[in-house]
Every structure is written in structure tokens, then in C-alpha cells.
Amino acid sequence: VSTVRGDVGDLGLMSETLAQRDVEVVFHLAAQAITSAAQRDLIGTLDTNVRGTWNVLEAARRAGSVKAIVIASSVKVYGEQPTLPFSEEAPLKGVEPYDASKIGAELVSSTYHGAYGLPVVITRCGNLYGGGDLHWDRIVPGTIRAATGGRVPVVRSGGTPLRDYVYVEDAIDAFLRLAQVAEQPAVAGQAFNVGTGAPVSELKMTEQILDVMGIDDLQPEVQPASAGEIVHQSLAPDKLQRATGWVASRELVDGLARTVAWYRDYL
């Protein structure tokens, strides 16, 4: 593994990194990914998530060796939708700063495919969970850390919003499969949902984590939802399955058991 430390805002470094190493596959995962931080800093979020994306794509165009580019977008580009689960044909209605930044990144990606023929594919992931996420305000690591310390876990959404939870290793599998077929005409330039189509409420998710941890003496504290929260989210994965054969292989209980084990060791 050759590591280059830098910033996607630095086009020169991006171009040099890809060109000097004859890079063939790019997974663009760099982003301001915390919605609350994006809310506080719209300009910084757009700069990182949109300009950062076109820098990566421009570097790939200049390199000439790239055969696949997988761009990480988000379920949040859909915003509020009347029907669950969301299909890729649904309009992109996200209006919050993070949502808008990802829509902007998708538009830039589509332009680089349409104008220059870059083999770009876009992934719209549900709520990813698994070991390694240290953003403690997120429901999975936050609940595990609180319960490990004997504290009451907090649900900051009213508990009722439905979310499509995807185990991180399943998401990695989806990214790898898409990279393998990104040059195919039916795949290049397309967006694909990475989800289960089986959403779970945030309160139920918190209770499931506690159950997996074997903790039955802590009741979650449910707080009102914050402004701008999308009520329900769920992703239909049919298009991805047709293109790559992908299906989410981890049942929620199994994924949570693996996740809890990672955090117990870490903490």
C-alpha cells in the first residue's frame, strides 16, 4: 500500500497521484459526511463535496489510465419521497446542505461521463454501520459507547423515522462489484442504490443494539426530531442486483453482533 496524504481540494496533487501510479480504479469516498457539520458550514461542505469531486474526476480524465470511478453519494439526495422504497428514477429532492452537496457531486459526475466518456458510477448508500465509525453522534456507535459505559442511549429523532441500515462490508462488496462492470454501456454514468429495502425505525435499531449487547436494564431516551430531518428513507436495490448480482448478505442481527464486538474491543 502506497499512502499519499493530501486534500481532494488540491487538483495538482490529485492529478500527480493518479498519473504517476497508472491508477486504473478510483473509489471517491472523501467528503464532509456529517450532516450537522454541513448544516453549520454550507460553503465548506460544497467546496469539499462538489469541488473535491470534480478535482478527482478531472485528475482521472488527465491520467488517461482510469477504467472505473465509483463515486459515493447518499440516500439523502432523494429528500422526502411519497413512496418507499426509493428507486433510482425518483426525483432528487434533497434540500439540506449535505443533501445538496451530494446532488451537486452527482451532476458533476454525470457531466464528466457525458462530456468525456469517463466510466463513472454513482452509489447511493443507506445508513452504513459497522466497526471503525468514530462519529459518536451517529446512532450505532453512540448507542454502543453509551451502553458500554452504563449510560442511557439517546435517540435524537423522536424514534419513529425509518432508515435503511447497510452493513459496511456489504457496501464494500457493492462498490467492488460496480468497479468491475463500470465500463459496460448499461452501467457507466448510472446511479445505483445500495440498500436492503427493509427499513427499521431508529428506536427499534437502538433497542436491537441493546439486545445484541445483552443489556436489558437501559431504556433509550427519546428526544424530539431536529429540524430538517428526512422522515423515512429506504432504498430499492433491484437495479444494482440486476447489474452485478449484489444483495445485502448480512442480516441485521449478525451485522450488529460483529459491530458490537469491534467496539467492545476498541473501547
Side-chain angles (χ1 to χ4, degrees):
V1 175
S2 175
T3 301
V4 178
R5 299 194 180 278
D7 188 332
V8 288
D10 186 342
L11 176 58
L13 178 61
M14 293 295 101
S15 299
E16 177 185 316
T17 299
L18 269 61
Q20 289 188 354
R21 290 162 177 78
D22 294 323
V23 170
E24 295 184 348
V25 180
V26 175
F27 297 97
H28 176 37
L29 311 176
Q32 165 52 268
I34 304 301
T35 56
S36 58
Q39 190 76 31
R40 293 189 297 270
D41 182 15
L42 171 60
I43 299 303
T45 300
L46 292 174
D47 190 56
T48 297
N49 293 2
V50 183
R51 186 169 66 93
T53 298
W54 82 52
N55 279 348
V56 171
L57 292 166
E58 177 63 17
R61 185 182 74 86
R62 294 179 182 182
S65 58
V66 177
K67 299 178 180 179
I69 308 168
V70 182
I71 304 288
S73 186
S74 169
V75 62
K76 291 186 178 295
V77 297
Y78 290 111
E80 297 285 359
Q81 299 285 337
T83 304
L84 293 178
F86 308 156
S87 74
E88 289 85 354
E89 287 70 38
L92 305 187
K93 298 166 63 178
V95 296
E96 294 300 314
Y98 174 77
D99 316 355
S101 75
K102 285 298 187 179
I103 293 173
E106 288 200 19
L107 289 172
V108 167
S109 300
S110 296
T111 296
Y112 268 88
H113 169 69
Y116 302 113
L118 284 188
V120 178
V121 290
I122 296 165
T123 63
R124 296 171 181 162
C125 292
N127 285 39
L128 300 182
Y129 72 96
D133 182 3
L134 303 182
H135 295 292
W136 302 110
D137 58 341
R138 289 177 175 158
I139 190 167
V140 175
T143 298
I144 296 172
R145 185 173 72 162
T148 299
R151 300 184 303 277
V152 173
V154 176
V155 181
R156 298 180 178 86
S157 62
T160 58
L162 299 175
R163 296 289 181 262
D164 199 328
Y165 294 97
V166 182
Y167 185 57
V168 65
E169 290 184 10
D170 280 336
I172 291 168
D173 183 39
F175 278 56
L176 292 172
R177 286 172 182 250
L178 281 170
Q180 291 171 344
V181 298
E183 289 186 292
Q184 295 180 7
V187 175
Q190 296 290 309
F192 295 86
N193 289 338
V194 181
T196 66
V200 177
S201 76
E202 295 198 350
L203 178 57
K204 179 65 177 178
M205 184 67 166
T206 304
E207 294 171 341
Q208 186 72 74
I209 294 168
L210 295 175
D211 185 60
V212 168
M213 295 180 73
I215 295 174
D216 56 12
D217 59 347
L218 290 176
Q219 294 299 316
E221 176 188 339
V222 180
Q223 297 182 352
S226 57
E229 188 72 28
I230 297 171
V231 179
H232 300 309
Q233 299 171 358
S234 180
L235 293 167
D238 308 67
K239 182 179 177 182
L240 177 60
Q241 184 175 2
R242 290 193 300 270
T244 68
W246 181 90
V247 292
S249 62
R250 294 289 179 196
E251 295 290 339
L252 184 60
V253 172
D254 181 29
L256 285 177
R258 290 169 175 264
T259 303
V260 167
W262 189 94
Y263 284 103
R264 278 181 163 157
D265 181 64
Y266 176 81
L267 294 169

